[in-house]
Amino acid sequence: MSFRKVVRQSKFRHVFGQPVKNDQCYEDIRVSRVTWDSTFCAVNPKFLAIIVEASGGGAFMVLPLSKTGRIDKSYPTVCGHTGPVLDIDWCPHNDEVIASGSEDCTVMVWQIPENGLVAPLTEPVVVLEGHSKRVGIVTWHPTARNVLLSAGCDNVVLIWNVGTAEELYRLDDLHPDLIYNISWNRNGSLFCSACKDKSVRIIDPRRGTLVAEREKAHEGARPMRAIFLANGKVFTTGFSRMSERQLALWDPENLEEPMALQELDSSNGALLPFYDPDTNVIYVCGKGDSSIRYFEITAEPPYIHFLNTFTSKEPQRGMGRMPKRGLDVSKCEIARFYKLHERKCEPIIMTVPRKSDLFQDDLYPDTAGPEPALEAEEWVSGRDAEPLLISLREAYVPSKQRDLKVSRKNVLHDNRAASAPAPSRAGVPTPASAGSAVGAPGVPATGEAGKLEEVTRELRLLRALVKEQGERIGRLEEQLGRMENGDV
């Protein structure tokens, strides 16, 4: 007798969200009130960054993850912008480097001290000037070192080499209206954008060409979002003509009709999607909502499967998500969000219930690590590379972070001389980056020094690997001895 399968099988069906206890929250933080639909929050395995209210300029706070509890009003901030900060993004290849975009029309890149701030940080490593209106989007390239994208209210997308402070590409004729968001694909060869003209565009930044475009992806006038998935598909959130919130999945090869379209509700907050490429789960957070919905994306129809909703009492002002390598794998944690309230930040842990204490291979496939797959020059020359993956099995410990440094030679001599007549500057080094100590890690080294550094890095990685394997062999031998003695 055959039974019809009623419930779709999925290991993420029972994922549940749990806020941490009060003493593990970050209290008394004056979250920014600026009217801009960014997340206001960025997090990595070392630091939590939150855009805060600031008088006479723009600022954001950077806290070590361990600094929970009440944050003193005098706690130092990163406060070099002269206008409110609109967006921040941690560098995926260096946990101590963060980029910020502001209403003062500049992008600034900051080096955070290894143990956090002890005094206000006012001098960025580099200032990138090229936008004529406020900069609302900053996002790092996923696989190439020191490549940063910025987009402003001048409808221009700029791509920078932060290591030399030079403007690599200027895309100023592809968006006729305000850009809502931009998302790189998995290897950084393309990006997709959502625009106020209701179009979703897929763009090749190195050629400066439009690869595909879908007009009226969502017919409503309110803000929409578009993100690339690992398989090359595009996921969008937006509003219908009747102002109902929608989710849609698109195939870039054929943008005529969506592969899937779902209507959620009639709330008016913009939907911010967070995508996990390892599990193919998308978490959707509405600004002003008090819930996080999550969906699984599959290869078979109907493609978008609702999993569950985490609900709480307080509405969210913004949201940050921890990268996979910062999660606690021993507790089957598959996502951690940092929810911004009006005056605090509350971590929310997403867990898959499992009885076993062993490492769960199916929940934690190899994930993108902190090492870049390419240098900026290689990417500019046309090369693409997938992210370098790491295993989370042994609670991965990264190699020592290298300070970002800007090449004085490129900025002050070669580029300066070549670009002197140009009306807009590619980049301005500040006192922090123009001193005698400039020059080093964030930028590829050359000659003998570069070879020495490369060999040293390889040797360090091999030593860590040998040590790890030695410890595993020791544990196995000990277990074998106990078994032979009949202790187990």
Side-chain angles (χ1 to χ4, degrees):
M1 187 175 181
S2 65
F3 290 93
R4 189 164 56 91
K5 189 169 73 175
V6 178
V7 179
R8 185 183 69 91
Q9 284 190 334
S10 167
K11 50 182 171 276
F12 303 112
R13 265 181 57 216
H14 302 291
V15 170
F16 67 96
Q18 183 109 31
V20 302
K21 294 176 181 171
N22 274 342
D23 61 350
Q24 293 174 282
C25 294
Y26 306 84
E27 303 273 357
D28 219 13
I29 295 170
R30 295 181 305 151
V31 178
S32 174
R33 294 177 174 278
V34 68
T35 52
W36 186 255
D37 281 324
S38 82
T39 59
F40 290 173
C41 180
V43 63
N44 69 22
K46 289 184 77 169
F47 296 111
L48 166 67
I50 300 168
I51 302 175
V52 293
E53 284 284 284
S55 53
F60 60 95
M61 186 174 274
V62 175
L63 302 168
L65 290 185
S66 58
K67 188 166 179 56
T68 52
R70 184 178 172 279
I71 307 301
D72 196 273
K73 281 185 171 60
S74 62
Y75 193 85
T77 58
V78 180
C79 50
H81 284 287
T82 56
V85 177
L86 300 179
D87 196 20
I88 49 177
D89 193 30
W90 285 106
C91 176
H93 308 127
N94 189 333
D95 286 343
E96 292 159 15
V97 170
I98 187 168
S100 58
S102 165
E103 279 194 11
D104 64 12
C105 307
T106 66
V107 176
M108 294 185 180
V109 181
W110 310 84
Q111 176 86 42
I112 306 300
E114 190 174 350
N115 298 315
L117 298 177
V118 292
L121 187 58
T122 57
E123 298 294 351
V125 179
V126 67
V127 181
L128 304 171
E129 294 186 329
H131 289 284
S132 59
K133 292 187 179 176
R134 60 183 182 168
V135 182
I137 299 168
V138 288
T139 178
W140 293 89
H141 191 283
T143 60
R145 190 198 308 278
N146 290 342
V147 175
L148 177 67
L149 179 149
S150 65
C153 294
D154 50 7
N155 310 334
V156 174
V157 176
L158 296 178
I159 297 175
W160 309 88
N161 180 349
V162 174
T164 58
E166 63 182 318
E167 185 184 295
L168 296 175
Y169 302 102
R170 171 179 286 264
L171 309 173
D172 53 10
D173 55 356
L174 296 175
H175 296 92
D177 211 331
L178 179 68
I179 303 166
Y180 285 136
N181 90 302
I182 284 177
S183 168
W184 292 99
N185 68 352
R186 181 81 164 155
N187 66 6
S189 58
L190 304 170
F191 66 77
C192 66
S193 67
C195 183
K196 194 174 181 180
D197 67 352
K198 303 181 186 177
S199 289
V200 169
R201 295 173 174 84
I202 297 171
I203 292 166
D204 182 332
R206 287 171 295 196
R207 290 195 176 95
T209 55
L210 193 63
V211 176
E213 179 178 7
R214 164 67 196 195
E215 296 177 358
K216 291 192 177 178
H218 296 276
E219 295 194 349
R222 292 202 177 112
M224 48 193 258
R225 289 281 187 284
I227 57 171
F228 258 118
L229 306 188
N231 60 5
K233 303 290 189 285
V234 173
F235 180 87
T236 61
T237 65
F239 292 82
S240 70
R241 193 180 302 162
M242 305 299 292
S243 291
E244 292 176 309
R245 297 198 291 192
Q246 295 178 320
L247 312 174
L249 186 66
W250 306 85
D251 183 354
E253 302 294 321
N254 177 17
L255 291 174
E256 289 299 313
E257 291 293 326
M259 296 168 63
L261 180 67
Q262 288 191 14
E263 293 194 344
L264 290 186
D265 55 31
S266 299
S267 296
N268 57 8
L271 290 169
L272 308 176
F274 295 88
Y275 172 60
D276 180 357
D278 304 328
T279 58
N280 267 320
V281 174
I282 291 181
Y283 304 85
V284 178
C285 315
K287 266 212 157 178
D289 289 7
S290 54
S291 63
I292 302 173
R293 295 179 175 90
Y294 32 109
F295 303 81
E296 187 176 3
I297 307 296
T298 61
E300 313 83 36
Y303 304 112
I304 304 174
H305 303 271
F306 173 73
L307 291 173
N308 211 334
T309 304
F310 165 81
T311 53
S312 58
K313 293 177 183 175
E314 296 292 322
Q316 54 228 14
R317 295 278 301 279
M319 192 73 76
R321 190 187 63 165
M322 174 69 75
K324 212 58 173 291
R325 57 195 172 86
L327 302 181
D328 186 346
V329 297
S330 63
K331 295 180 180 172
C332 296
E333 182 183 3
I334 62 163
R336 190 189 311 156
F337 290 93
Y338 287 75
K339 173 182 172 180
L340 299 186
H341 298 241
E342 198 150 329
R343 289 190 73 87
K344 80 168 182 178
C345 175
E346 176 187 40
I348 296 165
I349 292 169
M350 298 287 182
T351 308
V352 176
R354 292 280 168 99
K355 291 179 180 176
S356 171
D357 289 335
L358 299 175
F359 179 76
Q360 307 292 314
D361 298 81
D362 59 329
L363 297 184
Y364 301 108
D366 288 356
T367 191
E371 294 295 325
L374 296 171
E375 299 296 345
E377 293 78 8
E378 294 176 301
W379 181 74
V380 170
S381 70
R383 280 189 59 192
D384 292 317
E386 296 296 314
L388 298 181
L389 304 183
I390 57 169
S391 170
L392 298 175
R393 178 178 286 275
E394 298 297 333
Y396 177 76
V397 179
S399 56
K400 182 164 171 45
Q401 297 293 340
R402 309 190 303 171
D403 287 351
L404 169 73
K405 76 179 180 184
V406 179
S407 164
R408 277 173 63 203
K409 179 173 176 287
N410 283 344
V411 177
L412 299 181
H413 299 292
D414 302 350
N415 290 337
R416 200 34 96 207
S419 62
S424 67
R425 292 178 291 169
V428 180
T430 65
S433 63
S436 58
V438 177
V443 189
T446 56
E448 291 301 318
K451 289 178 187 171
L452 178 65
E453 189 180 327
E454 193 176 332
V455 171
T456 306
R457 190 168 70 231
E458 271 192 50
L459 187 61
R460 192 165 57 236
L461 289 170
L462 283 169
R463 278 178 179 154
L465 195 61
V466 168
K467 183 181 175 186
E468 178 190 319
Q469 297 300 333
E471 288 171 354
R472 291 183 68 186
I473 289 168
R475 288 198 298 272
L476 288 170
E477 285 177 341
E478 188 181 328
Q479 186 181 350
L480 184 62
R482 287 202 305 271
M483 291 171 74
E484 287 173 342
N485 294 333
D487 294 344
V488 179

